[in-house]
């Protein structure tokens, strides 16, 4: 199997397990916008995002170390998993102890939900990562389906039937998370891999030296969003944060697909890192990823207003105005994460921390300045610039490891097309019909500019057909 085909195959396999619960969360957006107020939705979104931020802190990103070290041919799977599990259990214990302290800041109800959910997230991250690299992808896939079904059913029960509002939303999230974990523990036969005889302080130190610098990187997208939410809450208000939360759901689809691809890419990046043609392979994949991102963004912009009319209530319709620059933010975040995988493959993760903190600092600083001038849009632009800076620095810094070759002329042209589409979207001087025609023509131009993306897909399909003849 070629490198490209293997990457695509791994992406498709991993997508099945990931898409269940994530698609369920997206499908439930209309339900949430009808049964939760703007303020409730904003609070729920802040809590959910905070869980994602706290997870790598309490687990010191040990799940990433389990993933990476298990891929080493000479590694003992049980040793890697056992020591990773011990670190995870310590994280669960610490998060439970902190409930009284957290209650002082957010109240007892939210504190209990927050820290229980962090514990669930820590355990699920460990188990899911391990299933992906020990030939138990089917178990990982089914656990995602179980999680999705539980999320759908419990939301219908607690939100629609009993009208519990925010409380029902929180209970549903806990139940679905526990269901997925129990499924993996039982059917993934986790007890077979957990062997206390492999407990080793030295191994834990080795794994933590690798994982600790990854904490800021794991938090970067979500911490940027969390910081943005706090800035919006402080300077604009909870209603605006609710609109921001809804607007984030569309870019979240983009981010969701990339996170799935990133898992497969991490495997390929590690396996191909010692190859002589790694720079060429890495560059081709990055270029195709950028081309796909541009096409995806342009397509969303064309149908953006229609999508918002169909999937959210009228109270949240104006959130479409926040989506265009959020799409750019996610794209820059994805590029920075992709290039950051080079550090992971080389087991040189310190620079990930340095670049992440720099980008986050720029985001927060610009957010605080621009929110006073442009409101919520200013906060979003600050985030986009922050991730753009991270991506540029990483591309330059990794030249001694991988020499990335990017079509910069095409990149500039693509940005010009996206900029024109955004201008048309916000223009009050044209009718909706002219707006649709104009952005349709711009989308066609985007497709033409990035035609190499489709040629690559066609080439892969033809190769597969030729092998079956």
């Amino acid at each position: 199997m070629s490198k490209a085909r293997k990457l695509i195959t791994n992406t498709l396999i991993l997508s099945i397990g990931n898409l269940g619960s994530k698609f369920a969360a997206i499908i439930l957006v209309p339900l949430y916008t009808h049964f939760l107020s703007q303020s409730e939705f904003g609070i729920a979104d802040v809590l959910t995002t905070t869980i994602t931020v706290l997870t790598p802190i309490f687990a010191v990103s040990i799940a990433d170390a389990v993933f990476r070290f298990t891929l080493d041919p000479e590694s003992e799977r049980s040793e890697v998993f056992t020591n990773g599990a011990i670190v995870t259990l310590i994280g669960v214990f610490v998060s439970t102890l902190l409930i009284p302290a957290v209650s002082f800041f957010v109240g007892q109800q939210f504190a209990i939900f927050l820290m229980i959910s962090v514990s669930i997230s820590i355990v699920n991250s460990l188990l899911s990562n391990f299933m992906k690299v020990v030939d138990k992808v089917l178990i990982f896939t089914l656990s995602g389906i179980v999680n999705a079904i539980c999320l759908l059913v419990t939301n219908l029960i607690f939100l629609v039937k009993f009208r519990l509002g925010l409380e029902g939303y929180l209970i549903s999230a806990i139940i679905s998370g526990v269901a997925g974990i129990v499924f993996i523990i039982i059917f993934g036969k986790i007890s077979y891999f957990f062997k206390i005889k492999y407990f080793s302080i030295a191994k834990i130190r080795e794994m933590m030296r690798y994982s600790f610098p990854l904490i800021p990187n794991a938090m970067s997208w979500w911490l940027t969003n969390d910081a943005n939410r706090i800035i919006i809450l402080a300077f604009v208000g909870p209603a605006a944060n609710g609109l921001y939360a809804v607007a984030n759901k569309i870019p979240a689809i983009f981010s969701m697909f990339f996170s799935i691809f990133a898992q497969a890419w991490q495997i390929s990046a590690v396996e191909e890192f010692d190859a002589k043609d790694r720079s060429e392979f890495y560059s081709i994949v990055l270029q195709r990823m950028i081309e796909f991102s541009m096409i995806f963004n342009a397509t969303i912009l064309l149908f953006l207003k229609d999508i918002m009319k169909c999937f959210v209530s009228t109270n949240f319709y104006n959130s479409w105005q926040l989506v265009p620059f959020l799409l750019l933010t996610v794209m820059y975040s994805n590029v920075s994460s992709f290039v950051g995988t080079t550090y992971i493959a080389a087991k040189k993760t310190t620079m990930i921390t340095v670049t992440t903190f720099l980008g986050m600092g720029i985001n927060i600083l610009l957010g605080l300045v621009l929110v006073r001038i442009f409101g919520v849009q200013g906060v979003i632009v600050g985030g986009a610039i922050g991730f753009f800076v991270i991506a540029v620095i990483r591309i330059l810094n990794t030249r001694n490891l991988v020499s990335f070759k990017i079509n910069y002329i095409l990149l500039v042209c693509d940005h010009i097309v996206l900029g024109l589409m955004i201008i048309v979207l916000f223009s009050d001087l044209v009718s909706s019909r002219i707006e649709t025609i104009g952005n349709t023509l711009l989308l066609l131009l985007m497709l033409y500019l990035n035609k190499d993306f489709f040629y690559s897909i066609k080439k892969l399909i033809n190769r597969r057909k030729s092998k079956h003849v």
Side-chain angles (χ1 to χ4, degrees):
M1 183 183 295
S2 69
K3 292 179 285 190
R5 283 189 60 196
K6 184 173 183 179
L7 175 59
I8 294 173
T9 301
N10 285 338
T11 301
L12 292 174
I13 292 173
L14 291 171
S15 67
I16 299 172
N18 280 277
L19 290 179
S21 59
K22 293 180 179 179
F23 260 133
I26 293 170
I27 291 171
L28 285 168
V29 169
L31 189 73
Y32 294 151
T33 59
H34 280 85
F35 289 93
L36 297 175
S37 67
Q38 288 185 3
S39 295
E40 283 182 323
F41 195 88
I43 292 170
D45 192 66
V46 168
L47 286 171
T48 303
T49 306
T50 303
I51 291 164
T52 309
V53 171
L54 292 177
T55 296
I57 295 175
F58 282 93
V60 292
S61 287
I62 201 67
D64 293 320
V66 170
F67 185 94
R68 177 64 181 86
F69 279 68
T70 306
L71 284 173
D72 287 337
E74 68 277 6
S75 69
E76 169 55 54
R77 292 177 172 180
S78 292
E79 180 185 21
V80 173
F81 177 76
T82 299
N83 288 287
I86 290 171
V87 174
T88 300
L89 292 174
I90 292 172
V92 170
F93 179 70
V94 172
S95 65
T96 304
L97 287 179
L98 288 177
I99 289 178
V102 177
S103 298
F104 180 78
F105 297 98
V106 299
Q108 185 176 15
Q109 179 187 12
F110 289 147
I112 292 174
F113 166 76
L114 192 64
M115 303 318 288
I116 288 177
S117 296
V118 167
S119 298
I120 292 171
S121 180
I122 290 171
V123 175
N124 183 64
S125 180
L126 172 76
L127 298 180
S128 297
N129 273 12
F130 190 64
M131 290 293 100
K132 295 169 195 172
V133 290
V134 292
D135 302 321
K136 289 182 178 286
V137 177
L138 178 61
I139 301 300
F140 166 72
T141 301
L142 293 176
S143 71
I145 295 173
V146 168
N147 184 294
I149 292 173
C150 286
L151 190 65
L152 289 168
V153 172
T154 53
N155 269 288
L156 289 173
I157 293 172
F158 296 124
L159 286 183
V160 180
K161 183 175 177 59
F162 293 112
R163 304 295 178 101
L164 294 180
L166 181 58
E167 183 180 354
Y169 174 95
L170 302 179
I171 294 171
S172 175
I174 289 176
I175 292 175
S176 60
V178 170
I181 288 172
V182 170
F183 184 89
I184 292 179
I185 290 175
I186 295 174
F187 295 98
K189 299 179 180 179
I190 292 300
S191 59
Y192 173 80
F193 296 100
F194 186 83
K195 298 177 180 178
I196 200 64
K197 69 177 182 178
Y198 284 116
F199 170 67
S200 168
I201 295 294
K203 190 66 177 179
I204 289 176
R205 286 176 178 169
E206 180 188 3
M207 293 172 68
M208 288 182 65
R209 276 196 300 270
Y210 170 85
S211 70
F212 195 78
L214 294 175
I215 296 175
N217 191 58
M219 297 162 52
S220 59
W221 165 248
W222 301 106
L223 189 54
T224 296
N225 270 286
D226 227 17
N228 289 348
R229 284 170 171 84
I230 293 171
I231 294 172
I232 292 169
L233 281 170
F235 290 92
V236 188
N241 195 62
L243 293 174
Y244 178 81
V246 172
N248 252 315
K249 295 303 177 182
I250 293 179
I253 299 174
F254 189 7
S255 183
M256 173 185 67
F257 280 110
F258 175 77
S259 68
I260 296 167
F261 165 76
Q263 296 169 32
W265 169 243
Q266 192 172 113
I267 296 173
S268 294
V270 172
E271 292 178 343
E272 300 298 329
F273 186 71
D274 293 327
K276 292 181 179 180
D277 63 342
R278 68 171 180 265
S279 290
E280 179 184 359
F281 177 57
Y282 279 43
S283 296
I284 290 173
V285 177
L286 175 59
Q287 184 63 44
R288 297 296 171 261
M289 189 192 80
I290 293 174
E291 291 166 358
F292 171 79
S293 300
M294 291 296 181
I295 294 169
F296 178 89
N297 286 350
T299 305
I300 292 296
L301 291 179
L302 174 61
F303 299 103
L304 178 57
K305 292 182 180 178
D306 293 325
I307 292 171
M308 300 306 282
K309 286 178 182 177
C310 292
F311 287 96
V312 303
S313 67
T314 54
N315 291 335
F316 291 87
Y317 173 72
N318 284 336
S319 61
W320 73 262
Q321 299 173 359
L322 307 178
V323 173
F325 290 105
L326 282 171
L327 287 170
L328 287 176
T329 303
V330 175
M331 181 175 68
Y332 298 146
S333 171
N334 293 346
V335 172
S336 68
S337 295
F338 179 93
V339 180
T341 305
T342 307
Y343 297 119
I344 293 173
K347 288 187 177 179
K348 296 180 178 180
T349 52
T350 303
M351 195 59 189
I352 290 181
T353 303
V354 176
T355 53
T356 299
F357 274 125
L358 178 61
M360 285 164 50
I362 292 172
N363 164 65
I364 294 172
L365 180 61
L366 289 177
L368 289 170
V369 173
L370 296 177
V371 70
R372 301 172 186 272
I373 305 171
F374 303 107
V376 180
Q377 291 284 18
V379 178
I380 297 171
V381 170
I385 294 173
F387 279 114
F388 180 81
V389 170
I390 295 175
V392 171
I393 292 176
R394 287 181 179 177
I395 289 172
L396 296 174
N397 183 256
T398 55
R399 284 180 297 182
N400 62 325
L401 299 173
V402 173
S403 179
F404 286 103
K405 294 179 176 61
I406 300 172
N407 188 336
Y408 291 106
I409 295 177
L410 175 61
L411 189 63
V412 172
C413 291
D414 284 344
H415 275 84
I416 292 173
V417 173
L418 285 181
L420 290 173
M421 293 187 76
I422 293 172
I423 291 172
V424 171
L425 268 177
F426 280 91
S427 177
D428 296 326
L429 301 177
V430 298
S431 64
S432 59
R433 184 178 181 181
I434 294 175
E435 176 186 309
T436 301
I437 293 173
N439 274 344
T440 299
L441 293 174
L442 288 169
L443 173 60
L444 292 174
L445 177 59
M446 181 70 79
L447 294 173
Y448 174 76
L449 289 172
N450 295 278
K451 57 184 178 294
D452 285 348
F453 173 79
F454 299 102
Y455 290 154
S456 297
I457 294 176
K458 183 180 179 181
K459 190 175 180 181
L460 284 171
I461 294 173
N462 289 339
R463 282 182 180 176
R464 185 171 184 179
K465 285 182 178 179
S466 64
K467 288 189 175 183
H468 288 82
V469 174

